[in-house]
Amino acid sequence: MATSSTSKMPNAAVSAGRADARFRLRIRKGELLAIGPGKVALLEAIAEHGSISAAARSLGMSYRRAWLLIDELNRALAEPATESGPGGASGGGSTLTSVGARIIALYRGIETRAQDACKDQIRELTSLLSQDPGLPSA
């Protein structure tokens, strides 16, 4: 039986060697990857940690990479997904705007609906996988 997950970290089924199917929606605006799994995970981490710096650390990425992703996202949107205060010794922090919160809710909702809509096909597809993932393929 297949397991599915939309979380950032592998679940117990994956570590037990069972199949894990995930939908990874990406929305492009021209050449720009406007919305995707990494940006949504970063928004979730900002909501949890209250700053781009802490969010980046929690995801194992550099502050510069996180800042560039947020800047790219905010430039692609009609209204920004985050608001940041001035930095400094005490740090300015970042928060999600209503747009940022809505992006997360919509993105995760789409993942869940897609997973639910395709559960029979996913189960059938993953049933074709080897029962012993340790065996080399021919």
Side-chain angles (χ1 to χ4, degrees):
M1 175 197 263
T3 351
S4 62
S5 173
T6 56
S7 69
K8 296 175 272 187
M9 302 303 294
N11 61 26
V14 175
S15 56
R18 295 190 312 195
D20 179 48
R22 299 175 192 210
F23 287 92
R24 308 307 285 177
L25 174 66
R26 289 172 174 82
I27 300 174
R28 294 192 170 278
K29 183 179 177 187
E31 292 299 310
L32 176 71
L33 177 56
I35 299 171
K39 289 178 181 168
V40 172
L42 183 55
L43 288 176
E44 290 171 326
I46 290 170
E48 180 180 347
H49 298 286
S51 77
I52 294 173
S53 178
R57 277 192 304 275
S58 77
L59 296 173
M61 73 172 62
S62 71
Y63 171 79
R64 177 173 165 69
R65 174 77 177 137
W67 188 91
L68 289 171
L69 287 171
I70 292 299
D71 182 60
E72 183 177 64
L73 174 63
N74 283 337
R75 284 186 289 112
L77 297 169
E79 297 177 37
T82 62
E83 295 177 332
S84 295
S90 61
S94 290
T95 58
L96 296 187
T97 63
S98 60
V99 171
R102 189 74 183 131
I103 288 170
I104 293 170
L106 287 168
Y107 189 91
R108 295 303 183 204
I110 290 167
E111 284 183 324
T112 299
R113 288 184 68 190
Q115 199 78 37
D116 291 345
C118 298
K119 66 183 172 196
D120 293 337
Q121 292 89 346
I122 292 169
R123 186 177 307 114
E124 184 177 351
L125 185 60
T126 57
S127 74
L128 302 173
L129 298 173
S130 167
Q131 296 300 311
D132 185 354
L135 292 178
S137 58

